[in-house]
Amino acid sequence: MANTSSRALRLLSLLQTHRHWPGPELAGRLEVSERTLRRDVDRLRELGYPVLATRGTDGGYQLAPGAVLPPLVLDDEEAVALAVGMGDAAQSGVAGIEDAAVRALTKVVRVLPPRLRARVDAVRAMTVSPTATGPIVAAGVLTVVAQACRDEERLRFGYAARGAAPAEREVEPHRLVPQGGRWYLVAYDLTRHGWRSFRLDRLTEPRPTGARFRPRPLPAADAAAFVRTSTGAPAAHTVRVIVHAPEARVRQVIGQWGTVEPAGEDRCHVTMTAASWDWPAQALGNVGAEFEVLGPPEFTAHVREWGARFVRAGGAMP
């Protein structure tokens, strides 16, 4: 029979996989008596897990939502799937999710054994995500760099700048920035004595040095602005519209590139972010339905200009 600690972990894992477990079935899975099962449930409650119990013929146990998120117990397959999913989410281009996905990925990968880390990188390298718009960055690279930024610890890595041979760099990492389908590290380069942005897909074998540093003032409003300036990337524009078409139809055409939410019968709210006004205008035209621009005013003016251009073209036809 398993010892009390390992049995409690097994019980927690089972409770997290089903909404409701009949008592006898749960006891059978653990190969214990129902009396022992009740004691194990009490131990989980003492640790802060809200385990609900019901009596009667349909009685059993289930894990209820708590005031805080308790630790999760994952098997090997679940851990790999979670790390791969977080890696894809970090590069999905969905506004607001990238940083949270990197934090979650960092927590998961940090406790994975080496054999599972290798599986995560292998799966991500050999899988094409429909939302990926740039090069895939290994989960290990993302997590090591993110931890160094968080801990204000100097970082060494190999880096191959465009058209140059790989070279060893030592930096004081500042922030990770997702932009244009790629990840960038904003850092102070100790070799070149200046601020630089590094593409993570060109970065190899990042490793913390153990040396802490006091953050220097960044010569920009924020890390994203620094990357835009250093790479010459245009600022992103966010467009908000109401489309007069069923949500399913709109999602099928442009759901991969924006957020689509229902806004009434045969209407939906669409939010898209792009580097120019042309792409959202073209995407909305592909839907083939009426739409109302909610903002910004610049996009309204751009759509009117497009419309006038098409009207003139139509009028010139014989």
Side-chain angles (χ1 to χ4, degrees):
M1 181 183 295
N3 61 41
T4 302
S5 297
S6 62
R7 196 175 62 240
L9 288 175
R10 173 63 175 156
L11 171 59
L12 180 58
S13 178
L14 290 171
L15 288 171
Q16 289 174 343
T17 59
H18 282 270
R19 178 173 176 81
H20 179 270
W21 279 98
E25 184 179 351
L26 193 54
R29 287 292 191 99
L30 296 170
E31 298 181 347
V32 298
S33 67
E34 292 191 49
R35 181 178 180 181
T36 300
L37 172 62
R38 288 193 292 271
R39 288 201 298 266
D40 288 345
V41 167
D42 288 338
R43 289 190 184 95
L44 289 183
R45 289 169 176 160
E46 291 171 1
L47 293 173
Y49 293 93
V51 182
L52 302 181
T54 54
R55 298 180 180 276
T57 55
D58 295 326
Y61 301 92
Q62 70 182 73
L63 192 63
V68 296
L69 179 67
L72 299 177
V73 177
L74 306 173
D75 61 27
D76 286 1
E77 300 299 329
E78 292 168 338
V80 170
L82 180 60
V84 170
M86 289 300 96
D88 284 346
Q91 300 180 161
S92 67
V94 178
I97 200 174
E98 299 99 334
D99 290 341
V102 169
R103 292 198 303 271
L105 180 65
T106 300
K107 293 176 182 178
V108 173
V109 172
R110 186 170 54 208
V111 297
L112 287 179
R115 60 186 175 82
L116 294 186
R117 294 187 192 186
R119 285 178 60 186
V120 169
D121 286 339
V123 171
R124 295 196 69 232
M126 300 306 295
T127 303
V128 177
S129 171
T131 58
T133 58
I136 296 296
V137 177
V141 170
L142 269 174
T143 55
V144 169
V145 175
Q147 288 179 61
C149 292
R150 181 199 62 192
D151 298 338
E152 296 176 351
E153 185 175 0
R154 289 182 177 178
L155 194 67
R156 289 197 186 105
F157 49 81
Y159 192 74
R162 184 169 55 184
E168 189 78 1
R169 311 292 275 267
E170 183 171 348
V171 304
E172 294 176 352
H174 177 67
R175 290 289 186 277
L176 283 170
V177 178
Q179 194 166 105
R182 296 185 175 92
W183 275 99
Y184 294 87
L185 166 65
V186 174
Y188 186 84
D189 191 323
L190 294 168
T191 304
R192 290 160 175 76
H193 304 290
W195 286 93
R196 298 287 189 274
S197 62
F198 301 91
R199 275 179 48 174
L200 257 62
D201 57 297
R202 294 177 177 170
L203 186 152
T204 58
E205 298 182 359
R207 53 206 181 277
T209 66
R212 299 297 179 91
F213 63 89
R214 179 175 294 178
R216 304 169 189 260
L218 182 68
D222 54 38
F226 181 84
V227 171
R228 285 195 297 269
T229 302
S230 62
T231 62
H237 306 296
T238 298
V239 171
R240 303 180 307 279
V241 300
I242 293 289
V243 180
H244 294 259
E247 177 189 358
R249 173 181 164 188
V250 177
R251 193 179 297 278
Q252 183 178 13
V253 178
I254 59 175
Q256 179 179 338
W257 313 109
T259 302
V260 182
E261 301 173 331
E265 187 176 357
D266 290 342
R267 285 160 47 98
C268 54
H269 187 184
V270 176
T271 303
M272 291 180 286
T273 301
S276 74
W277 302 120
D278 289 338
W279 189 88
Q282 179 180 340
L284 290 167
N286 290 339
V287 176
E290 299 290 328
F291 63 89
E292 306 167 32
V293 178
L294 302 180
E298 294 85 352
F299 183 63
T300 301
H302 189 78
V303 170
R304 287 173 177 166
E305 181 184 340
W306 266 43
R309 192 180 306 141
F310 283 117
V311 168
R312 289 194 296 270
M317 294 177 62

